[in-house]
Amino acid sequence: MASAKPRVKVPASAAKGEIIEIKSLISHTMESGQRKDKEGKAIPRKIINKFIVTFNGKEFFSADWAPAISANPFLSFHMRAEESGTMGFTWIDDDGSKYTAEKNLKVT
Amino acid sequence: MRKNNRKIMMAGAAVAAVFSIATIAAGEPKSGYLSAEPETQAMQDDDFSNPAMLVTDYGGDLWSTADGDSGKSCEDCHGDAADSMKGVKTRYPTYYQPWGKMINLELRINECRKDNQKAKAWKYESKEMLGMASYIGYQSRGMPMAVDIGGKATPFFTKGKEFYYERRGQLDMACSHCHEDNSGNMIRANLLTEGQINGFPTYRLKWSGVGTLHRRFKGCNDQVRAIPYERGSDEYVNLELYLAWRGRGLAVETPSVRN
Amino acid sequence: MIEETKMKLKETPKEISRRHVIMLVGAAAATAGMLPRVSLADKAATDAAIKAIGGDGAEMSGITLDLPQIAENGSTVSVGVEVDSPMTADNYVKTVYIFAEGNPNPDVCTLHFTPAGGIARAYTRIRLAKTQNVIALAEMSDGSFKRETVEVKVTIGGCGG
């Protein structure tokens, strides 16, 4: 889905040991599987069911999502800044598609 | 334990709502933002929390993508939108010479696509139009709404104003019955606001997405069981002009978040 | 809600608009009856899910669950959760489960934390089909559980999972 373009916020730099807040937002209808179309036919479920965050390749936070997560999912969480590096974000769709984003963090 | 700062925030919102009722009498317009729940306000306050920014970003991508027979992007001709489009939203709808009538921002974008970019017009409520209208509107964030209703715009302004006070639909109600006489009162689960337009395109929780002002007009016509007009119709553009003037001075909030 | 509307409208001096707004409320109530019925989860289903995880004996403290008392739209309800923990290698929060008792399916999300997070706190936005309890259940690294419940009044339901 081409429109599933994420927005992530990671501070550009942080002091060593500082706990930073990370915010993530992705465009997705999160079709719950509970809705019906105009003809009364059930609209099949199609959601992002998994969100994984890594730092320098190592996973440090993840989430499993059910259909009760709102459209255009938002999630904020934290990390203790220990070293400079790259944070990687991956969202996995029911249909197997993966959407990704990356941000660099400089630890001073 | 429930965090109790929320109650304080709620109390703050209640004060804001009361304040808004008090000042309507004084004639100063109040944004719908002030009546929104604190959680909804918080979504709008932070661009990394505001889901409409996903759509706005998409508009930004389109801005720099070549399209149409001209092979040009908006950026190729207009440069950085932060300069060239700053303030544009505040003066729309505006009188448009080639048509001899008013044009709003969405329709102006399409005119430019057809005339200059030599590209196909976008559908009014398409992802592309919502993206571009949000992106251009965003460049005027915080600037006061300031449409010109003088000169050639005057007769269209008068039509828009008449529309606003005209009763319609099975319920025989005018816009003013809800948004002037009853703003500050509850209707079903909704707190009625002044129905200001400074935040459009807006992300509505009810829509779980971004929509244009004319989509909202259609909804408000539907609510009183009136037959809505087409998006982009003369009726709605004139109405938009009246409302832009009614809310003159309000800061542009595009893209806002509302219930 | 209708009572509340009438009550508030009494304060307005405008007879005509009062009458019309009340008519509108009636019309809206009629359409509400046409909404599709969905089967909703209940306390029993949620308790069973918690038991399956092993959290039925959870300690009822140590979690801050931040939700509005009244959600203006069930399609998008902000929820924040924070679990008291030093988040060190040998004492941290492993998992936080969020359940919504009154949704078609009680599962909302599962958050997997590690000590690298520094703090076990997250914010997200969820769908709530109606007024109901939202429950956070935290599994700690030593295998113990903490639990918190908050009731949220939902004025307009979101077709939740």
Side-chain angles (χ1 to χ4, degrees):
Chain A
M1 197 171 72
S3 65
K5 206 188 143 196
R7 259 177 90 82
V8 291
K9 186 186 186 187
V10 178
S13 67
K16 190 170 159 59
E18 187 184 337
I19 294 175
I20 58 169
E21 184 181 23
I22 299 127
K23 291 178 182 169
S24 68
L25 195 55
I26 187 165
S27 175
H28 199 285
T29 52
M30 296 293 279
E31 195 55 64
S32 68
Q34 297 285 343
R35 298 198 312 150
K36 295 201 163 68
D37 65 13
K38 283 185 188 118
E39 280 87 51
K41 281 212 322 252
I43 304 171
R45 167 185 146 151
K46 188 183 184 299
I47 67 167
I48 292 174
N49 59 56
K50 183 111 195 138
F51 174 57
I52 302 163
V53 193
T54 60
F55 193 72
N56 287 341
K58 194 167 179 289
E59 182 176 321
F60 73 92
F61 178 81
S62 72
D64 305 314
W65 287 341
I69 293 295
S70 303
N72 305 311
F74 169 82
L75 189 65
S76 78
F77 50 94
H78 297 78
M79 188 188 79
R80 184 178 285 132
E82 294 292 359
E83 52 173 0
S84 297
T86 306
M87 202 175 289
F89 303 80
T90 307
W91 292 259
I92 304 173
D93 197 300
D94 275 348
D95 70 6
S97 315
K98 282 187 182 171
Y99 319 113
T100 58
E102 261 186 22
K103 282 278 174 192
N104 291 326
L105 171 73
K106 208 176 146 182
V107 171
T108 52
Chain B
M1 162 182 64
R2 189 199 287 268
K3 258 200 196 160
N4 50 14
N5 61 354
R6 231 171 242 276
K7 281 177 200 138
I8 299 164
M9 289 196 311
M10 294 282 216
V15 170
V18 169
F19 177 72
S20 99
I21 296 163
T23 48
I24 287 164
E28 200 182 303
K30 284 284 167 284
S31 167
Y33 173 88
L34 295 173
S35 315
E37 292 292 338
E39 292 76 21
T40 311
Q41 292 180 337
M43 280 172 78
Q44 179 180 317
D45 290 343
D46 176 356
D47 280 355
F48 283 92
S49 173
N50 183 347
M53 287 307 294
L54 292 162
V55 173
T56 309
D57 268 2
Y58 177 61
D61 291 346
L62 292 173
W63 180 260
S64 47
T65 307
D67 198 5
D69 290 341
S70 73
K72 291 202 159 110
S73 70
C74 320
E75 191 174 20
D76 288 335
C77 294
H78 290 285
D80 188 351
D83 300 324
S84 63
M85 293 293 138
K86 191 177 166 116
V88 168
K89 168 93 182 167
T90 65
R91 48 184 174 77
Y92 276 78
T94 187
Y95 184 77
Y96 190 55
Q97 198 70 43
W99 288 357
K101 57 184 186 184
M102 307 305 293
I103 193 167
N104 72 358
L105 186 57
E106 283 84 355
L107 298 171
R108 185 68 185 87
I109 290 169
N110 265 343
E111 278 298 287
C112 195
R113 280 180 62 78
K114 286 187 285 184
D115 292 350
N116 300 315
Q117 199 174 31
K118 313 282 180 221
K120 256 180 66 189
W122 283 322
K123 283 209 174 114
Y124 200 92
E125 199 75 37
S126 63
K127 218 172 68 191
E128 290 79 12
M129 183 58 89
L130 287 165
M132 188 59 72
S134 301
Y135 181 68
I136 293 180
Y138 183 67
Q139 312 305 326
S140 298
R141 257 229 185 146
M143 295 174 71
M145 307 237 296
V147 280
D148 184 0
I149 58 162
K152 292 204 166 113
T154 307
F156 302 98
F157 171 81
T158 308
K159 279 188 195 158
K161 185 172 179 181
E162 279 165 11
F163 190 108
Y164 189 79
Y165 287 100
E166 204 177 301
R167 293 169 175 277
R168 54 172 47 80
Q170 280 174 33
L171 301 188
D172 199 32
M173 288 176 81
C175 312
S176 56
H177 286 131
C178 284
H179 294 298
E180 241 179 51
D181 304 347
N182 277 299
S183 77
N185 289 329
M186 294 295 288
I187 179 164
R188 286 193 282 147
N190 284 309
L191 178 62
L192 278 167
T193 71
E194 292 180 19
Q196 295 290 358
I197 66 170
N198 54 317
F200 283 87
T202 191
Y203 188 95
R204 267 194 89 188
L205 305 185
K206 183 180 166 200
W207 295 336
S208 284
V210 175
T212 63
L213 175 62
H214 291 196
R215 178 176 178 189
R216 181 48 126 153
F217 286 170
K218 273 168 130 12
C220 278
N221 279 160
D222 280 340
Q223 282 197 63
V224 297
R225 308 276 185 276
I227 296 159
Y229 292 84
E230 286 302 310
R231 296 180 175 92
S233 61
D234 293 348
E235 287 82 1
Y236 279 177
V237 173
N238 295 338
L239 177 62
E240 182 176 347
L241 176 66
Y242 172 68
L243 290 175
W245 174 84
R246 180 174 174 257
R248 65 196 178 283
L250 281 179
V252 173
E253 291 175 22
T254 308
S256 64
V257 183
R258 297 284 188 270
N259 179 20
Chain C
M1 214 66 238
I2 292 177
E3 281 313 308
E4 185 182 348
T5 310
K6 282 182 181 162
M7 208 177 67
K8 293 229 173 166
L9 286 171
K10 270 195 193 129
E11 294 156 20
T12 143
K14 305 233 173 26
E15 286 298 325
I16 291 173
S17 49
R18 183 199 307 174
R19 180 166 55 85
H20 281 92
V21 170
I22 289 168
M23 277 168 62
L24 183 87
V25 169
T31 34
M34 291 162 23
L35 291 174
R37 286 190 161 268
V38 286
S39 58
L40 298 174
D42 52 22
K43 193 172 174 309
T46 312
D47 287 348
I50 290 171
K51 197 162 179 209
I53 299 164
D56 41 338
E59 184 191 332
M60 300 291 178
S61 72
I63 301 184
T64 306
L65 188 54
D66 188 13
L67 278 145
Q69 278 166 328
I70 301 171
E72 67 180 341
N73 198 305
S75 73
T76 317
V77 184
S78 301
V79 47
V81 61
E82 181 170 349
V83 186
D84 297 344
S85 163
M87 294 302 273
T88 55
D90 51 9
N91 184 1
Y92 64 96
V93 181
K94 270 172 66 178
T95 314
V96 172
Y97 304 87
I98 306 221
F99 298 105
E101 259 178 23
N103 272 1
N105 179 331
D107 293 337
V108 174
C109 68
T110 308
L111 308 169
H112 305 277
F113 292 94
T114 63
I119 180 173
R121 184 205 291 163
Y123 270 85
T124 187
R125 298 198 276 252
I126 68 173
R127 292 169 167 150
L128 295 178
K130 58 172 188 179
T131 294
Q132 58 180 287
N133 286 329
V134 174
I135 296 162
L137 179 72
E139 184 177 356
M140 315 301 283
S141 54
D142 66 0
S144 67
F145 284 87
K146 296 178 197 292
R147 175 178 170 168
E148 182 58 274
T149 304
V150 161
E151 196 201 30
V152 182
K153 290 202 164 57
V154 177
T155 37
I156 301 168
C159 316

